Amino acid sequence: MNTKIDVTAPGKKAEKGGAHPLTKEIREMEKIFTSLGFEIADGPWIETEEVNFDSLNVPKNHPARDMQDTFWVKNLDETVLRTQTSDVQIRYMRKQQPPIRIIAPGRVFRNEATDGRHEAEFHQMEGLMVGKSISIANLKAVLDGFFKKYVGENVKTRLRPGFFPFVEPGIEFDVTCFACGGSDKKCDLCSGSGWMELGGSGMVHPNVLKAGGIDPEKYQGFAFGLGIERTVMAKYGINDIRVFLNSDIDMIKQFN
Ligand SMILES: [Zn+2]
């Protein structure tokens, strides 16, 4: 048979790929924290109960340990899918004496029903700074510096008392609404309050420093955990957290 090949016909072009929106945003956040003097640290997704809970001052009877919230690894004793990136604090402190200045972005897991605001898998950005004379003023300066670079110069942060077992005092931090800046009483993003709750923080609890092998008499530090999806959703006006992991190409393409 005589097949003719048209060598001048244009070839089929492969579609150009791009990084996932979360990857892109995490890289952007890493760049900002690196410019503020932070190093990037990492930890395993499968974690021991000791690192995930005990060393972080979460008592044995705390409800977070309940099957409802935590994925326990079957057939492996005292092993969980990490419920927060704070495990990296412990792992890092056990290797390194102060001064410490790290961020640890990564995936975390919670055994919960999903809806527009909750996923069983999501990402956090942990931050830890330990040294001599570290105070809440340093925490405020770092958070302010980060959000001004990530969103814009007009963004402000606000600290409020909160409770988390691994910090004392515990602090919840809010950021001025990315969408309305507080000017829209009907804003969907902030419900008209002008503030968005994006994470928890505080001064590292002396028990946590001790568990990390650091003398709380000599050193203090702050830690924070930023919800990455929550922050990215606020930045781009995304109203359903599930869009990040459901592999919707149309959604992903908008970021490339
Ligand atoms: Zn608003």
Side-chain angles (χ1 to χ4, degrees):
M1 218 170 92
N2 200 358
T3 322
K4 274 190 185 162
I5 297 169
D6 181 1
V7 292
T8 63
K12 262 193 191 163
K13 267 196 187 156
E15 272 202 67
K16 213 171 154 193
H20 188 278
L22 278 180
T23 307
K24 291 183 78 155
E25 293 304 307
I26 290 171
R27 282 181 192 156
E28 167 80 21
M29 291 176 185
E30 286 175 347
K31 220 191 271 175
I32 297 170
F33 278 113
T34 309
S35 78
L36 297 170
F38 284 75
E39 270 180 63
I40 299 163
D42 201 5
W45 295 353
I46 299 174
E47 190 52 279
T48 64
E49 184 183 8
E50 191 268 327
V51 173
N52 194 82
F53 290 126
D54 300 274
S55 63
L56 287 164
N57 204 36
V58 183
K60 285 269 184 243
N61 56 358
H62 197 279
R65 291 197 183 207
D66 200 286
M67 298 294 288
Q68 300 293 315
D69 300 302
T70 307
F71 288 113
W72 294 83
V73 180
K74 211 173 171 181
N75 302 330
L76 266 185
D77 284 343
E78 295 159 9
T79 308
V80 299
L81 297 187
R82 69 174 178 188
T83 55
Q84 77 253 318
T85 42
S86 310
D87 64 324
V88 182
Q89 288 184 33
I90 298 293
R91 289 180 171 273
Y92 196 88
M93 287 191 288
R94 285 178 179 171
K95 285 189 303 204
Q96 175 81 45
Q97 283 293 305
I100 292 173
R101 205 187 269 212
I102 55 161
I103 51 156
R107 197 170 282 220
V108 300
F109 307 84
R110 302 277 172 88
N111 188 5
E112 59 185 335
T114 64
D115 60 30
R117 295 190 62 80
H118 299 92
E119 258 287 20
E121 260 182 271
F122 54 100
H123 296 74
Q124 285 182 343
M125 173 80 70
E126 190 79 9
L128 175 70
M129 185 169 176
V130 183
K132 286 188 170 154
S133 345
I134 303 286
S135 74
I136 293 172
N138 299 108
L139 167 68
K140 171 94 169 123
V142 166
L143 290 175
D144 264 345
F146 168 73
F147 283 107
K148 281 188 193 306
K149 284 194 178 174
Y150 184 63
V151 188
E153 280 301 315
N154 298 329
V155 169
K156 290 193 182 78
T157 61
R158 172 176 85 172
L159 308 182
R160 288 182 290 116
F163 175 77
F164 309 99
F166 24 87
V167 281
E168 178 59 40
I171 294 164
E172 298 202 46
F173 62 88
D174 301 333
V175 181
T176 42
C177 180
F178 297 169
C180 76
S183 62
D184 180 2
K185 288 281 160 250
K186 288 181 187 147
C187 175
D188 276 344
L189 205 53
C190 65
S191 316
S193 73
W195 296 95
M196 302 179 303
E197 199 187 308
L198 292 183
S201 62
M203 296 302 289
V204 182
H205 196 288
N207 289 350
V208 175
L209 290 174
K210 269 188 234 162
I214 287 172
D215 183 353
E217 300 289 327
K218 274 198 211 152
Y219 299 106
Q220 313 82 47
F222 67 74
F224 62 83
L226 174 71
I228 292 181
E229 278 86 348
R230 232 191 267 182
T231 307
V232 175
M233 286 164 75
K235 187 175 174 186
Y236 294 101
I238 297 168
N239 56 16
D240 193 325
I241 192 170
R242 292 169 293 192
V243 300
F244 291 110
L245 292 182
N246 70 2
S247 307
D248 179 347
I249 284 292
D250 289 334
M251 183 288 190
I252 293 171
K253 270 186 181 162
Q254 294 176 47
F255 286 78
N256 284 299

